[in-house]
Amino acid sequence: MDKFLFLDRSCLQPQGMDNVRLVVAAAEKDAANNPLFHEDFFSTPSLPWEARYDNAYPNVIYDPKYKKYRCYYTFCSKDVESTSTPREERAKRDYRPMSTRITSLGYAESDDGIHWVKPNLGLVDFEGSRENNMLFRYAHGTGIFLDEEETNPAKRYKLVTKVEYPGSRTYMAVNFSEDGIHWGDMIPWPRWNPPADSHNFPFRDKVDGLFKVITRTWRNGVRVSAICSSRDFINWSEPREILRGDGFESQVYSMPVFWYDGLYLGLASMFHEGDRSAENFDTVDLELTYASSCDKFDRVAPYQYLIPRGQGKYPDGDFDSCCIYAAAPIDMGDGRLCIYYMAGNGQHTNFRETSFARAFLPKDRFAWYEPRNPEKTAVIPTGRMNIYGNELCVLADTEEGGEWSVAVCPTWKSEPFEGFGFDDCTLSPGEDGYTRVQWKKNLMDLENATISLVFRFRKTRLYAIRGEVVRTAERYYEGAPTV
């Protein structure tokens, strides 16, 4: 069966929509366990190489072979400004990073996803000792993924990073590993060297089978998300813009993505600047984006945030009160996705301490349509569809006193087919939250027709449909991207 999330605008017919608004879900934070770990420079004992996490850009992976949750994160292993400024002094002046600052890649692991340790890996020298959890020095915005389609065991894990030495020597590079701990030498990109001072997020594209990396570049003075493609993970294409925000006020800083039932969903960290008097100035919020292919993403609902920032400001605010950067989620196997994220308690360009945390989203319930005016009936028609079976289910939540129904019509503005009207449908709730819809006649009676499903609802949230229906090819076709 096919599934269509209502957040995907290509599923709907906007001419027929009435009295509706789209709302993005707020993820449920793990209040019992958050934060899961944090910068340990000020801890006892201190980890002196964890001078500042900054954005950290987490990559969280569950490896079934080793039965471990793994977190790879970027941090500043050398930052004189952070290490020389006590906490009690940080709120009194601005953070001024020096050109000698060094970014590195750290590693933490967990058996249950809650309790994390930072093991001594013995790989990288720091001030005369290898007793630390560092994987690389001079690595900025590293992205790592476990490639489950890889046939060469030595390349199960793949890495993209910006090799960055103090001064001006920087270049993009890749690396490979079997176990996610022991890596080879960095392999520089033969061409292209985007700014990439962000989360460089690699993955294997489900649409065209190519490797992709989402990075960041600049266009007309603002940060934008860009993508590069590769057939071999070594030779990459020129970066192409795939998502832009709104001027200075909402710039795309980073965007991990994940494949979900025929769509790519993105977790875009949106940076706010341009107005020092604004309440959200110099903070970072997390927005939901989507795409049918990776050549162009859209924001689901601009300025609605998936993981709400905590309360307060530095130095007394919640641990996640100012900046949020997410990892691609992990399926919990219980109907929820787990989003791990790094969160800062201070402004982006100022002093802050960063912690690692997690939040949960029910599957399929990422966003919904509801009546804009709750006292009036709302209407949503789908775009054109064809039928290949009798099964149709709807994911909806109805408040007390609410109701919804759906008719099958030739077009969104036509009367329903006979036997498929609003009063002809019966609703049978299922155990998985979806409600099966049946009419006086079978859907297969219309198998040669083009249809539109028209919803009428009050005090109801509509999330998705699932069934033996398929979208009809639209008049204006968006072709697949090329490399």
Side-chain angles (χ1 to χ4, degrees):
M1 289 192 292
D2 289 81
K3 182 188 294 180
F4 306 99
L5 302 178
F6 278 100
L7 63 83
D8 178 3
R9 287 187 276 273
S10 68
C11 299
L12 306 178
Q13 169 48 262
Q15 279 287 307
M17 296 168 69
D18 185 39
N19 186 37
V20 295
R21 65 179 179 184
L22 183 60
V23 179
V24 171
E28 179 186 358
K29 298 178 184 179
D30 187 356
N33 296 297
N34 286 345
L36 304 175
F37 66 80
H38 49 72
E39 297 173 15
D40 277 318
F41 180 79
F42 289 113
S43 300
T44 304
S46 172
L47 301 187
W49 55 89
E50 290 198 339
R52 176 181 169 101
Y53 276 11
D54 212 68
N55 308 329
Y57 307 125
N59 307 266
V60 181
I61 297 163
Y62 179 74
D63 190 331
K65 178 177 180 179
Y66 297 99
K67 295 181 172 57
K68 293 285 186 183
Y69 291 87
R70 293 174 157 176
C71 177
Y72 302 88
Y73 59 100
T74 297
F75 62 93
C76 299
S77 56
K78 180 180 180 181
D79 183 13
V80 174
E81 179 75 342
S82 290
T83 56
S84 64
T85 308
R87 266 184 174 165
E88 57 270 19
E89 297 294 324
R90 293 183 171 195
K92 301 176 184 178
R93 65 177 184 85
D94 291 338
Y95 172 70
R96 298 182 296 271
M98 301 180 182
S99 60
T100 57
R101 195 171 75 163
I102 296 174
T103 53
S104 299
L105 181 66
Y107 170 80
E109 64 183 21
S110 171
D111 293 328
D112 60 6
I114 300 173
H115 304 93
W116 293 79
V117 297
K118 301 171 183 177
N120 285 329
L121 300 177
L123 299 174
V124 177
D125 179 85
F126 178 81
E127 296 181 351
S129 172
R130 292 180 180 269
E131 292 189 5
N132 58 66
N133 67 322
M134 297 167 63
L135 289 170
F136 294 102
R137 298 179 77 198
Y138 312 111
H140 190 137
T142 305
I144 294 176
F145 83 107
L146 176 58
D147 187 359
E148 296 178 348
E149 298 180 39
E150 178 59 65
T151 58
N152 181 350
K155 294 184 176 181
R156 291 179 69 239
Y157 282 87
K158 294 180 171 64
L159 172 156
V160 177
T161 196
K162 182 81 168 183
V163 176
E164 186 176 75
Y165 295 99
S168 59
R169 187 188 174 201
T170 67
Y171 58 90
M172 298 295 290
V174 302
N175 211 322
F176 303 95
S177 173
E178 187 281 328
D179 62 2
I181 304 294
H182 301 91
W183 299 79
D185 294 330
M186 291 292 182
I187 303 171
W189 284 19
R191 293 185 69 193
W192 312 116
N193 191 25
D197 54 337
S198 178
H199 193 170
N200 297 290
F201 183 82
F203 59 101
R204 190 190 286 265
D205 193 341
K206 298 293 185 181
V207 177
D208 60 20
L210 299 175
F211 294 111
K212 303 289 174 69
V213 60
I214 294 178
T215 184
R216 195 188 73 197
T217 187
W218 294 74
R219 292 288 186 272
N220 299 328
V222 298
R223 300 165 177 85
V224 299
S225 259
I227 197 165
C228 303
S229 302
S230 175
R231 298 185 184 279
D232 59 7
F233 208 77
I234 295 174
N235 297 278
W236 294 87
S237 65
E238 181 179 9
R240 286 186 299 105
E241 180 181 330
I242 57 171
L243 180 67
R244 183 183 297 230
D246 295 327
F248 295 128
E249 291 78 11
S250 196
Q251 303 174 57
V252 190
Y253 210 101
S254 62
M255 188 175 65
V257 303
F258 61 103
W259 182 251
Y260 191 89
D261 287 331
L263 283 177
Y264 273 107
L265 298 180
L267 304 176
S269 289
M270 308 300 288
F271 176 50
H272 313 299
E273 58 181 357
D275 183 356
R276 297 191 67 86
S277 64
E279 180 66 23
N280 67 353
F281 175 74
D282 206 15
T283 62
V284 180
D285 282 297
L286 192 71
E287 279 193 16
L288 184 65
T289 67
Y290 79 99
S292 57
S293 64
C294 289
D295 59 321
K296 177 67 171 69
F297 278 77
D298 286 299
R299 299 157 76 186
V300 171
Y303 301 101
Q304 294 187 36
Y305 303 123
L306 199 63
I307 300 180
R309 287 186 284 114
Q311 300 297 309
K313 295 183 178 180
Y314 190 82
D316 302 317
D318 294 339
F319 75 91
D320 57 358
S321 60
C322 288
C323 300
I324 293 181
Y325 295 86
I330 289 180
D331 192 334
M332 299 293 289
D334 60 0
R336 299 181 300 167
L337 297 181
C338 180
I339 302 176
Y340 287 94
Y341 64 102
M342 288 286 186
N345 63 353
Q347 290 178 308
H348 174 265
T349 61
N350 222 320
F351 281 110
R352 54 185 156 118
E353 290 84 48
T354 296
S355 301
F356 181 62
R358 67 179 188 171
F360 303 103
L361 277 175
K363 296 176 72 171
D364 295 358
R365 286 181 164 90
F366 309 129
W368 64 85
Y369 276 98
E370 66 182 21
R372 187 180 299 276
N373 181 344
E375 303 305 317
K376 298 176 63 176
T377 297
V379 179
I380 290 183
T382 69
R384 296 182 298 167
M385 292 186 164
N386 292 117
I387 296 163
Y388 63 90
N390 287 316
E391 188 76 14
L392 184 77
C393 297
V394 177
L395 184 61
D397 289 330
T398 302
E399 301 176 20
E400 183 177 354
E403 61 182 358
W404 64 273
S405 60
V406 57
V408 185
C409 305
T411 70
W412 66 270
K413 55 185 175 182
S414 304
E415 292 297 315
F417 290 103
E418 183 182 354
F420 291 93
F422 295 102
D423 295 330
D424 297 321
C425 69
T426 58
L427 308 179
S428 304
E431 294 183 358
D432 62 354
Y434 276 82
T435 296
R436 186 178 184 188
V437 185
Q438 294 174 291
W439 291 267
K440 289 183 178 180
K441 295 184 177 181
N442 291 325
L443 276 174
M444 283 297 287
D445 294 340
L446 304 174
E447 65 175 322
N448 295 318
T450 298
I451 69 162
S452 174
L453 300 171
V454 181
F455 290 83
R456 291 181 181 173
F457 56 104
R458 293 179 61 254
K459 296 183 178 180
T460 295
R461 297 176 174 180
L462 291 181
Y463 302 94
I465 57 176
R466 183 184 69 198
E468 294 169 317
V469 293
V470 62
R471 282 181 292 189
T472 303
E474 295 298 326
R475 178 179 178 184
Y476 300 106
Y477 173 69
E478 295 180 5
T482 59
V483 178

